[in-house]
Structure formats: structure tokens, C-alpha cells
mmCIF file of all heavy atoms in Angstrom:
data_model
loop_
_atom_site.group_PDB
_atom_site.id
_atom_site.type_symbol
_atom_site.label_atom_id
_atom_site.label_comp_id
_atom_site.label_asym_id
_atom_site.label_seq_id
_atom_site.Cartn_x
_atom_site.Cartn_y
_atom_site.Cartn_z
ATOM 1 N N LYS N 1 4.118 -1.565 4.997
ATOM 2 C CA LYS N 1 3.766 -2.988 5.041
ATOM 3 C C LYS N 1 3.611 -3.459 6.485
ATOM 4 O O LYS N 1 2.686 -4.210 6.805
ATOM 5 C CB LYS N 1 4.818 -3.806 4.301
ATOM 6 C CG LYS N 1 4.727 -3.643 2.787
ATOM 7 C CD LYS N 1 5.861 -4.279 2.054
ATOM 8 C CE LYS N 1 5.828 -5.772 2.140
ATOM 9 N NZ LYS N 1 6.857 -6.414 1.304
ATOM 10 N N LYS N 2 4.502 -3.000 7.350
ATOM 11 C CA LYS N 2 4.421 -3.360 8.767
ATOM 12 C C LYS N 2 3.132 -2.821 9.384
ATOM 13 O O LYS N 2 2.459 -3.513 10.153
ATOM 14 C CB LYS N 2 5.644 -2.795 9.498
ATOM 15 C CG LYS N 2 5.764 -3.195 10.939
ATOM 16 C CD LYS N 2 7.097 -2.685 11.493
ATOM 17 C CE LYS N 2 7.023 -2.471 12.969
ATOM 18 N NZ LYS N 2 8.215 -1.827 13.506
ATOM 19 N N LEU N 3 2.773 -1.604 9.037
ATOM 20 C CA LEU N 3 1.527 -1.021 9.537
ATOM 21 C C LEU N 3 0.319 -1.847 9.099
ATOM 22 O O LEU N 3 -0.591 -2.081 9.885
ATOM 23 C CB LEU N 3 1.373 0.423 9.044
ATOM 24 C CG LEU N 3 2.172 1.474 9.777
ATOM 25 C CD1 LEU N 3 2.235 2.759 8.972
ATOM 26 C CD2 LEU N 3 1.571 1.740 11.156
ATOM 27 N N LEU N 4 0.316 -2.283 7.859
ATOM 28 C CA LEU N 4 -0.804 -3.077 7.351
ATOM 29 C C LEU N 4 -0.867 -4.447 8.019
ATOM 30 O O LEU N 4 -1.952 -4.945 8.325
ATOM 31 C CB LEU N 4 -0.695 -3.239 5.838
ATOM 32 C CG LEU N 4 -0.911 -1.965 5.031
ATOM 33 C CD1 LEU N 4 -0.542 -2.192 3.571
ATOM 34 C CD2 LEU N 4 -2.331 -1.456 5.166
ATOM 35 N N GLU N 5 0.285 -5.046 8.255
ATOM 36 C CA GLU N 5 0.322 -6.365 8.900
ATOM 37 C C GLU N 5 -0.117 -6.299 10.353
ATOM 38 O O GLU N 5 -0.836 -7.169 10.834
ATOM 39 C CB GLU N 5 1.736 -6.943 8.833
ATOM 40 C CG GLU N 5 2.163 -7.343 7.446
ATOM 41 C CD GLU N 5 3.647 -7.648 7.353
ATOM 42 O OE1 GLU N 5 4.335 -7.715 8.401
ATOM 43 O OE2 GLU N 5 4.133 -7.813 6.219
ATOM 44 N N ASN N 6 0.334 -5.281 11.058
ATOM 45 C CA ASN N 6 0.070 -5.180 12.496
ATOM 46 C C ASN N 6 -1.257 -4.522 12.837
ATOM 47 O O ASN N 6 -1.715 -4.606 13.960
ATOM 48 C CB ASN N 6 1.211 -4.444 13.194
ATOM 49 C CG ASN N 6 2.514 -5.204 13.122
ATOM 50 O OD1 ASN N 6 2.522 -6.421 13.024
ATOM 51 N ND2 ASN N 6 3.617 -4.486 13.136
ATOM 52 N N ASN N 7 -1.859 -3.838 11.876
ATOM 53 C CA ASN N 7 -3.123 -3.139 12.093
ATOM 54 C C ASN N 7 -4.037 -3.415 10.907
ATOM 55 O O ASN N 7 -4.311 -2.529 10.110
ATOM 56 C CB ASN N 7 -2.890 -1.626 12.224
ATOM 57 C CG ASN N 7 -1.905 -1.302 13.324
ATOM 58 O OD1 ASN N 7 -2.243 -1.362 14.490
ATOM 59 N ND2 ASN N 7 -0.675 -0.994 12.950
ATOM 60 N N PRO N 8 -4.502 -4.648 10.789
ATOM 61 C CA PRO N 8 -5.247 -5.015 9.582
ATOM 62 C C PRO N 8 -6.535 -4.230 9.362
ATOM 63 O O PRO N 8 -6.930 -4.008 8.233
ATOM 64 C CB PRO N 8 -5.541 -6.496 9.769
ATOM 65 C CG PRO N 8 -5.362 -6.760 11.211
ATOM 66 C CD PRO N 8 -4.399 -5.740 11.722
ATOM 67 N N VAL N 9 -7.184 -3.787 10.415
ATOM 68 C CA VAL N 9 -8.431 -3.051 10.244
ATOM 69 C C VAL N 9 -8.358 -1.756 11.042
ATOM 70 O O VAL N 9 -8.248 -1.777 12.259
ATOM 71 C CB VAL N 9 -9.639 -3.882 10.733
ATOM 72 C CG1 VAL N 9 -10.921 -3.085 10.583
ATOM 73 C CG2 VAL N 9 -9.733 -5.186 9.978
ATOM 74 N N ASN N 10 -8.356 -0.655 10.341
ATOM 75 C CA ASN N 10 -8.440 0.644 11.005
ATOM 76 C C ASN N 10 -8.852 1.699 9.989
ATOM 77 O O ASN N 10 -8.870 1.436 8.792
ATOM 78 C CB ASN N 10 -7.125 1.007 11.714
ATOM 79 C CG ASN N 10 -5.971 1.178 10.757
ATOM 80 O OD1 ASN N 10 -6.067 1.918 9.785
ATOM 81 N ND2 ASN N 10 -4.874 0.493 11.009
ATOM 82 N N ASP N 11 -9.157 2.859 10.485
ATOM 83 C CA ASP N 11 -9.639 3.942 9.625
ATOM 84 C C ASP N 11 -8.578 4.445 8.643
ATOM 85 O O ASP N 11 -8.905 5.080 7.651
ATOM 86 C CB ASP N 11 -10.116 5.116 10.476
ATOM 87 C CG ASP N 11 -11.328 4.759 11.318
ATOM 88 O OD1 ASP N 11 -12.035 3.788 10.967
ATOM 89 O OD2 ASP N 11 -11.570 5.441 12.330
ATOM 90 N N LEU N 12 -7.324 4.175 8.938
ATOM 91 C CA LEU N 12 -6.246 4.684 8.096
ATOM 92 C C LEU N 12 -5.812 3.717 7.004
ATOM 93 O O LEU N 12 -4.912 4.021 6.240
ATOM 94 C CB LEU N 12 -5.032 5.015 8.969
ATOM 95 C CG LEU N 12 -5.221 6.142 9.971
ATOM 96 C CD1 LEU N 12 -3.994 6.290 10.848
ATOM 97 C CD2 LEU N 12 -5.492 7.447 9.239
ATOM 98 N N ARG N 13 -6.433 2.555 6.910
ATOM 99 C CA ARG N 13 -5.981 1.533 5.962
ATOM 100 C C ARG N 13 -5.929 2.064 4.525
ATOM 101 O O ARG N 13 -4.959 1.828 3.813
ATOM 102 C CB ARG N 13 -6.857 0.293 6.038
ATOM 103 C CG ARG N 13 -6.301 -0.859 5.219
ATOM 104 C CD ARG N 13 -6.980 -2.176 5.551
ATOM 105 N NE ARG N 13 -6.383 -3.276 4.821
ATOM 106 C CZ ARG N 13 -5.277 -3.921 5.182
ATOM 107 N NH1 ARG N 13 -4.645 -3.567 6.282
ATOM 108 N NH2 ARG N 13 -4.795 -4.909 4.467
ATOM 109 N N GLY N 14 -6.937 2.796 4.109
ATOM 110 C CA GLY N 14 -6.938 3.339 2.754
ATOM 111 C C GLY N 14 -5.775 4.278 2.509
ATOM 112 O O GLY N 14 -5.116 4.212 1.477
ATOM 113 N N ARG N 15 -5.518 5.132 3.461
ATOM 114 C CA ARG N 15 -4.405 6.089 3.336
ATOM 115 C C ARG N 15 -3.067 5.350 3.277
ATOM 116 O O ARG N 15 -2.190 5.698 2.482
ATOM 117 C CB ARG N 15 -4.427 7.055 4.516
ATOM 118 C CG ARG N 15 -3.348 8.088 4.455
ATOM 119 C CD ARG N 15 -3.489 9.099 5.568
ATOM 120 N NE ARG N 15 -2.174 9.618 5.887
ATOM 121 C CZ ARG N 15 -1.805 10.055 7.066
ATOM 122 N NH1 ARG N 15 -2.659 10.080 8.056
ATOM 123 N NH2 ARG N 15 -0.592 10.499 7.280
ATOM 124 N N ILE N 16 -2.927 4.320 4.123
ATOM 125 C CA ILE N 16 -1.685 3.548 4.134
ATOM 126 C C ILE N 16 -1.503 2.819 2.803
ATOM 127 O O ILE N 16 -0.410 2.833 2.223
ATOM 128 C CB ILE N 16 -1.677 2.555 5.317
ATOM 129 C CG1 ILE N 16 -1.668 3.317 6.657
ATOM 130 C CG2 ILE N 16 -0.478 1.617 5.232
ATOM 131 C CD1 ILE N 16 -1.986 2.453 7.872
ATOM 132 N N LEU N 17 -2.556 2.203 2.301
ATOM 133 C CA LEU N 17 -2.476 1.507 1.018
ATOM 134 C C LEU N 17 -2.112 2.472 -0.112
ATOM 135 O O LEU N 17 -1.280 2.154 -0.970
ATOM 136 C CB LEU N 17 -3.803 0.813 0.699
ATOM 137 C CG LEU N 17 -4.120 -0.436 1.511
ATOM 138 C CD1 LEU N 17 -5.568 -0.850 1.296
ATOM 139 C CD2 LEU N 17 -3.180 -1.575 1.158
ATOM 140 N N ASN N 18 -2.717 3.641 -0.118
ATOM 141 C CA ASN N 18 -2.423 4.632 -1.147
ATOM 142 C C ASN N 18 -0.951 5.044 -1.110
ATOM 143 O O ASN N 18 -0.285 5.113 -2.142
ATOM 144 C CB ASN N 18 -3.330 5.850 -0.977
ATOM 145 C CG ASN N 18 -3.144 6.850 -2.091
ATOM 146 O OD1 ASN N 18 -3.409 6.565 -3.249
ATOM 147 N ND2 ASN N 18 -2.660 8.035 -1.731
ATOM 148 N N SER N 19 -0.445 5.279 0.085
ATOM 149 C CA SER N 19 0.955 5.684 0.226
ATOM 150 C C SER N 19 1.896 4.556 -0.182
ATOM 151 O O SER N 19 2.924 4.796 -0.824
ATOM 152 C CB SER N 19 1.239 6.114 1.663
ATOM 153 O OG SER N 19 0.478 7.259 1.989
ATOM 154 N N LEU N 20 1.557 3.330 0.188
ATOM 155 C CA LEU N 20 2.373 2.175 -0.201
ATOM 156 C C LEU N 20 2.410 2.046 -1.723
ATOM 157 O O LEU N 20 3.482 1.847 -2.313
ATOM 158 C CB LEU N 20 1.814 0.895 0.434
ATOM 159 C CG LEU N 20 2.495 -0.412 0.035
ATOM 160 C CD1 LEU N 20 3.974 -0.400 0.404
ATOM 161 C CD2 LEU N 20 1.788 -1.592 0.702
ATOM 162 N N ALA N 21 1.272 2.189 -2.363
ATOM 163 C CA ALA N 21 1.221 2.097 -3.828
ATOM 164 C C ALA N 21 2.058 3.200 -4.473
ATOM 165 O O ALA N 21 2.788 2.947 -5.439
ATOM 166 C CB ALA N 21 -0.222 2.170 -4.312
ATOM 167 N N ARG N 22 1.983 4.397 -3.931
ATOM 168 C CA ARG N 22 2.785 5.508 -4.462
ATOM 169 C C ARG N 22 4.271 5.207 -4.331
ATOM 170 O O ARG N 22 5.058 5.489 -5.242
ATOM 171 C CB ARG N 22 2.437 6.810 -3.751
ATOM 172 C CG ARG N 22 1.090 7.349 -4.185
ATOM 173 C CD ARG N 22 0.649 8.597 -3.434
ATOM 174 N NE ARG N 22 1.688 9.568 -3.235
ATOM 175 C CZ ARG N 22 1.940 10.205 -2.073
ATOM 176 N NH1 ARG N 22 1.196 9.960 -1.010
ATOM 177 N NH2 ARG N 22 2.896 11.089 -1.976
ATOM 178 N N ALA N 23 4.671 4.638 -3.189
ATOM 179 C CA ALA N 23 6.081 4.294 -2.984
ATOM 180 C C ALA N 23 6.521 3.233 -3.994
ATOM 181 O O ALA N 23 7.611 3.328 -4.564
ATOM 182 C CB ALA N 23 6.303 3.810 -1.557
ATOM 183 N N TYR N 24 5.672 2.236 -4.230
ATOM 184 C CA TYR N 24 5.999 1.224 -5.238
ATOM 185 C C TYR N 24 6.143 1.853 -6.618
ATOM 186 O O TYR N 24 7.035 1.497 -7.388
ATOM 187 C CB TYR N 24 4.930 0.129 -5.278
ATOM 188 C CG TYR N 24 5.083 -0.945 -4.235
ATOM 189 C CD1 TYR N 24 3.977 -1.402 -3.526
ATOM 190 C CD2 TYR N 24 6.317 -1.540 -3.961
ATOM 191 C CE1 TYR N 24 4.090 -2.408 -2.571
ATOM 192 C CE2 TYR N 24 6.446 -2.540 -3.012
ATOM 193 C CZ TYR N 24 5.330 -2.973 -2.323
ATOM 194 O OH TYR N 24 5.453 -3.968 -1.386
ATOM 195 N N GLU N 25 5.272 2.802 -6.948
ATOM 196 C CA GLU N 25 5.381 3.492 -8.236
ATOM 197 C C GLU N 25 6.733 4.190 -8.359
ATOM 198 O O GLU N 25 7.375 4.144 -9.404
ATOM 199 C CB GLU N 25 4.267 4.529 -8.389
ATOM 200 C CG GLU N 25 2.927 3.948 -8.731
ATOM 201 C CD GLU N 25 1.881 5.025 -8.953
ATOM 202 O OE1 GLU N 25 1.814 5.993 -8.171
ATOM 203 O OE2 GLU N 25 1.123 4.880 -9.916
ATOM 204 N N LYS N 26 7.144 4.841 -7.292
ATOM 205 C CA LYS N 26 8.405 5.596 -7.312
ATOM 206 C C LYS N 26 9.613 4.689 -7.499
ATOM 207 O O LYS N 26 10.629 5.119 -8.033
ATOM 208 C CB LYS N 26 8.567 6.407 -6.027
ATOM 209 C CG LYS N 26 7.512 7.478 -5.843
ATOM 210 C CD LYS N 26 7.673 8.592 -6.846
ATOM 211 C CE LYS N 26 6.722 9.727 -6.561
ATOM 212 N NZ LYS N 26 6.851 10.811 -7.513
ATOM 213 N N THR N 27 9.500 3.431 -7.058
ATOM 214 C CA THR N 27 10.617 2.505 -7.212
ATOM 215 C C THR N 27 10.530 1.736 -8.522
ATOM 216 O O THR N 27 11.366 0.881 -8.803
ATOM 217 C CB THR N 27 10.682 1.492 -6.047
ATOM 218 O OG1 THR N 27 9.486 0.709 -6.028
ATOM 219 C CG2 THR N 27 10.875 2.189 -4.721
ATOM 220 N N GLY N 28 9.496 2.010 -9.318
ATOM 221 C CA GLY N 28 9.341 1.344 -10.594
ATOM 222 C C GLY N 28 8.656 -0.010 -10.502
ATOM 223 O O GLY N 28 8.582 -0.736 -11.487
ATOM 224 N N GLU N 29 8.146 -0.343 -9.327
ATOM 225 C CA GLU N 29 7.468 -1.632 -9.135
ATOM 226 C C GLU N 29 5.979 -1.473 -9.454
ATOM 227 O O GLU N 29 5.123 -1.500 -8.577
ATOM 228 C CB GLU N 29 7.686 -2.127 -7.708
ATOM 229 C CG GLU N 29 9.151 -2.376 -7.389
ATOM 230 C CD GLU N 29 9.380 -2.811 -5.961
ATOM 231 O OE1 GLU N 29 9.221 -4.014 -5.692
ATOM 232 O OE2 GLU N 29 9.697 -1.950 -5.124
ATOM 233 N N LYS N 30 5.712 -1.317 -10.747
ATOM 234 C CA LYS N 30 4.357 -1.006 -11.211
ATOM 235 C C LYS N 30 3.351 -2.115 -10.901
ATOM 236 O O LYS N 30 2.200 -1.844 -10.577
ATOM 237 C CB LYS N 30 4.357 -0.726 -12.719
ATOM 238 C CG LYS N 30 5.302 0.381 -13.142
ATOM 239 C CD LYS N 30 4.882 1.727 -12.620
ATOM 240 C CE LYS N 30 5.815 2.801 -13.159
ATOM 241 N NZ LYS N 30 5.720 4.048 -12.474
ATOM 242 N N ASP N 31 3.770 -3.366 -11.014
ATOM 243 C CA ASP N 31 2.849 -4.470 -10.743
ATOM 244 C C ASP N 31 2.431 -4.498 -9.279
ATOM 245 O O ASP N 31 1.261 -4.705 -8.964
ATOM 246 C CB ASP N 31 3.467 -5.817 -11.135
ATOM 247 C CG ASP N 31 3.604 -5.974 -12.647
ATOM 248 O OD1 ASP N 31 2.886 -5.270 -13.382
ATOM 249 O OD2 ASP N 31 4.424 -6.799 -13.082
ATOM 250 N N LYS N 32 3.396 -4.265 -8.396
ATOM 251 C CA LYS N 32 3.072 -4.236 -6.965
ATOM 252 C C LYS N 32 2.159 -3.047 -6.660
ATOM 253 O O LYS N 32 1.225 -3.163 -5.879
ATOM 254 C CB LYS N 32 4.336 -4.167 -6.117
ATOM 255 C CG LYS N 32 5.097 -5.470 -6.064
ATOM 256 C CD LYS N 32 6.293 -5.372 -5.143
ATOM 257 C CE LYS N 32 7.044 -6.690 -5.089
ATOM 258 N NZ LYS N 32 8.188 -6.617 -4.175
ATOM 259 N N ALA N 33 2.448 -1.919 -7.278
ATOM 260 C CA ALA N 33 1.612 -0.737 -7.074
ATOM 261 C C ALA N 33 0.186 -1.025 -7.530
ATOM 262 O O ALA N 33 -0.779 -0.700 -6.825
ATOM 263 C CB ALA N 33 2.183 0.447 -7.842
ATOM 264 N N ARG N 34 0.049 -1.666 -8.675
ATOM 265 C CA ARG N 34 -1.272 -1.997 -9.211
ATOM 266 C C ARG N 34 -2.037 -2.916 -8.256
ATOM 267 O O ARG N 34 -3.233 -2.734 -8.041
ATOM 268 C CB ARG N 34 -1.119 -2.649 -10.587
ATOM 269 C CG ARG N 34 -2.244 -2.328 -11.528
ATOM 270 C CD ARG N 34 -1.992 -2.810 -12.957
ATOM 271 N NE ARG N 34 -1.035 -1.945 -13.656
ATOM 272 C CZ ARG N 34 0.184 -2.322 -14.049
ATOM 273 N NH1 ARG N 34 0.627 -3.533 -13.845
ATOM 274 N NH2 ARG N 34 0.972 -1.475 -14.680
ATOM 275 N N GLU N 35 -1.348 -3.908 -7.679
ATOM 276 C CA GLU N 35 -1.989 -4.812 -6.715
ATOM 277 C C GLU N 35 -2.524 -4.047 -5.513
ATOM 278 O O GLU N 35 -3.631 -4.311 -5.039
ATOM 279 C CB GLU N 35 -0.989 -5.869 -6.233
ATOM 280 C CG GLU N 35 -0.653 -6.934 -7.233
ATOM 281 C CD GLU N 35 0.408 -7.893 -6.705
ATOM 282 O OE1 GLU N 35 0.459 -8.113 -5.476
ATOM 283 O OE2 GLU N 35 1.193 -8.412 -7.520
ATOM 284 N N VAL N 36 -1.731 -3.112 -5.024
ATOM 285 C CA VAL N 36 -2.131 -2.344 -3.840
ATOM 286 C C VAL N 36 -3.290 -1.411 -4.188
ATOM 287 O O VAL N 36 -4.241 -1.283 -3.418
ATOM 288 C CB VAL N 36 -0.932 -1.568 -3.240
ATOM 289 C CG1 VAL N 36 -1.365 -0.716 -2.069
ATOM 290 C CG2 VAL N 36 0.168 -2.542 -2.811
ATOM 291 N N TYR N 37 -3.219 -0.775 -5.352
ATOM 292 C CA TYR N 37 -4.332 0.076 -5.778
ATOM 293 C C TYR N 37 -5.613 -0.750 -5.921
ATOM 294 O O TYR N 37 -6.703 -0.291 -5.588
ATOM 295 C CB TYR N 37 -4.017 0.785 -7.096
ATOM 296 C CG TYR N 37 -3.131 2.006 -6.958
ATOM 297 C CD1 TYR N 37 -1.997 2.166 -7.747
ATOM 298 C CD2 TYR N 37 -3.445 3.021 -6.049
ATOM 299 C CE1 TYR N 37 -1.196 3.281 -7.636
ATOM 300 C CE2 TYR N 37 -2.643 4.141 -5.928
ATOM 301 C CZ TYR N 37 -1.526 4.268 -6.721
ATOM 302 O OH TYR N 37 -0.735 5.391 -6.603
ATOM 303 N N LYS N 38 -5.476 -1.969 -6.417
ATOM 304 C CA LYS N 38 -6.643 -2.839 -6.573
ATOM 305 C C LYS N 38 -7.265 -3.141 -5.214
ATOM 306 O O LYS N 38 -8.489 -3.091 -5.051
ATOM 307 C CB LYS N 38 -6.238 -4.138 -7.278
ATOM 308 C CG LYS N 38 -7.392 -5.045 -7.594
ATOM 309 C CD LYS N 38 -6.935 -6.261 -8.382
ATOM 310 C CE LYS N 38 -8.108 -7.160 -8.690
ATOM 311 N NZ LYS N 38 -7.710 -8.342 -9.446
ATOM 312 N N GLU N 39 -6.422 -3.456 -4.228
ATOM 313 C CA GLU N 39 -6.942 -3.714 -2.876
ATOM 314 C C GLU N 39 -7.635 -2.474 -2.322
ATOM 315 O O GLU N 39 -8.718 -2.559 -1.745
ATOM 316 C CB GLU N 39 -5.816 -4.141 -1.931
ATOM 317 C CG GLU N 39 -6.313 -4.422 -0.532
ATOM 318 C CD GLU N 39 -5.223 -4.836 0.446
ATOM 319 O OE1 GLU N 39 -4.092 -5.121 0.029
ATOM 320 O OE2 GLU N 39 -5.525 -4.855 1.664
#
């Protein structure tokens, strides 16, 4: 989340979003994961 806030536009944004969504899935936060996957 800090990476996304501090670096809003970069080549790694997709990779960061994917990893964030995976982490949310692992914690059972399916709705948050879905939001990130949607973005």
C-alpha cells in the first residue's frame, strides 16, 4: 500500500497490485482483494 501511495505511476504498478491482492486473499479479505484485482 505504501508503494502504491508513494509511487502512483510506474512500470511495477501491476505487479504491486497483484501481490497486494494475493496478500488480501491470504488474510481472507476477499472483498479487498476483489477491489485490487478490479483496479
Side-chain angles (χ1 to χ4, degrees):
K1 287 172 68 174
K2 185 174 154 187
L3 281 164
L4 291 170
E5 290 168 9
N6 295 333
N7 304 284
V9 178
N10 64 52
D11 295 339
L12 295 175
R13 188 166 184 82
R15 181 175 152 209
I16 295 166
L17 287 169
N18 185 63
S19 296
L20 175 60
R22 286 176 43 226
Y24 277 136
E25 283 183 316
K26 296 291 186 180
T27 62
E29 298 178 83
K30 304 293 184 195
D31 290 339
K32 286 184 180 181
R34 213 172 284 114
E35 287 177 31
V36 177
Y37 280 129
K38 185 176 180 180
E39 180 181 349

